[in-house]
Amino acid sequence: MQRRRNVDVMVEALKPEGKRILDVGCGDGNVVRLLTKKGAHVVGVECSPRQLAKARATPKVGDEDIVEGVGQALPVGDASFDAVVFFHSLHHVPAEVMGQALREAARVLKAGGLLYVSEPIAEGLFFETCKPVDDETQVRALAQAALAHVPGMEPVDDIVFLHTVSMADYAAFRERIVSANAEREAIFDRLDGEMRALFAKNARPAEGGGYEFDQPIRARILRRLHS
């Protein structure tokens, strides 16, 4: 499996300069800011108060905007974006409305616009380290199944690669996992010893400090059909 940076695959696929891009489930806004720096006009949509606060507390890098909302009812107009991104966020959409979230992506895309969905594959040491806190095997499978057919969209590419997940220490690992779902905090507290031991066992020391894991990723790209 080829080793690539997750964001490099996305930028190569979207060619963001000058485009209007919607980032659904934008978290702390990191991808929003990266795409803005690449010349895109980006709107990030997020429903978590914790993540919204982080995203809005970070200084702007351009004309990006962060709005509150959910994937299954996007707070933007029809045919208003050149690209829609789900960057490790589709599997966080409730299973019963995952298909609706993808139909919403199709709704807000211009004809010929691209839907980019990057999802971690449920395998590898990073997945195994996170598993006691939240086993995402089923929701990640549901995300892939939902992408099999999206009305009004056609498949363009399907890319599987190996991404390196880097973090400073165990505290940074915990914050990364908790930030996506605040309910995980209590589980981390309850399993503190087990989680620290798993991290120590599975994380490898990174060159220059910190720690890293290999994570297989599947990126699927779809195009909005002309009406």
Side-chain angles (χ1 to χ4, degrees):
M1 195 181 298
Q2 187 179 9
R3 185 180 299 278
R4 302 183 67 183
R5 291 179 69 235
N6 212 347
V7 294
D8 291 344
V9 177
M10 176 184 64
V11 168
E12 183 180 308
L14 297 182
K15 299 176 177 55
E17 187 172 1
K19 293 181 178 175
R20 281 183 49 78
I21 299 179
L22 186 69
D23 181 7
V24 184
C26 70
D28 64 5
N30 184 54
V31 169
V32 170
R33 292 186 292 274
L34 181 143
L35 289 170
T36 301
K37 289 177 182 177
K38 296 289 184 182
H41 308 284
V42 190
V43 176
V45 177
E46 179 55 53
C47 64
S48 160
R50 182 175 185 154
Q51 294 286 61
L52 275 169
K54 282 184 183 180
R56 289 170 170 168
T58 305
K60 284 193 170 190
V61 299
D63 65 352
E64 74 271 23
D65 195 16
I66 305 290
V67 300
E68 186 173 2
V70 293
Q72 63 269 28
L74 293 172
V76 295
D78 296 356
S80 52
F81 287 87
D82 300 296
V84 173
V85 172
F86 283 83
F87 197 87
H88 294 194
S89 57
L90 182 58
H91 69 274
H92 290 296
V93 175
E96 63 272 17
V97 291
M98 211 176 271
Q100 176 60 27
L102 293 172
R103 290 191 291 275
E104 277 287 275
R107 175 184 69 80
V108 307
L109 277 170
K110 298 175 184 177
L114 295 179
L115 170 61
Y116 181 90
V117 183
S118 176
E119 281 285 313
I121 296 171
E123 59 185 53
L125 289 179
F126 188 63
F127 174 73
E128 294 300 327
T129 306
C130 301
K131 198 172 179 179
V133 172
D134 192 357
D135 184 352
E136 293 187 336
T137 303
Q138 184 176 12
V139 291
R140 294 188 190 183
L142 287 171
Q144 295 299 334
L147 285 162
H149 175 66
V150 183
M153 306 286 292
E154 64 177 354
V156 174
D157 208 349
D158 190 341
I159 309 164
V160 177
F161 59 96
L162 199 62
H163 172 71
T164 302
V165 181
S166 303
M167 59 207 69
D169 50 25
Y170 175 78
F173 163 73
R174 174 183 163 130
E175 175 58 26
R176 183 188 185 112
I177 306 307
V178 167
S179 64
N181 185 341
E183 295 175 2
R184 296 170 176 173
E185 199 150 27
I187 304 173
F188 259 103
D189 289 341
R190 180 165 52 84
L191 300 178
D192 185 67
E194 178 184 343
M195 294 306 297
R196 288 178 183 275
L198 267 175
F199 183 85
K201 175 186 174 185
N202 293 337
R204 66 172 181 265
E207 240 180 86
Y211 298 88
E212 58 188 24
F213 296 86
D214 291 334
Q215 173 61 59
I217 303 289
R218 186 177 184 184
R220 298 174 72 170
I221 305 162
L222 294 84
R223 180 183 292 114
R224 180 70 167 97
L225 295 168
H226 290 71
S227 299

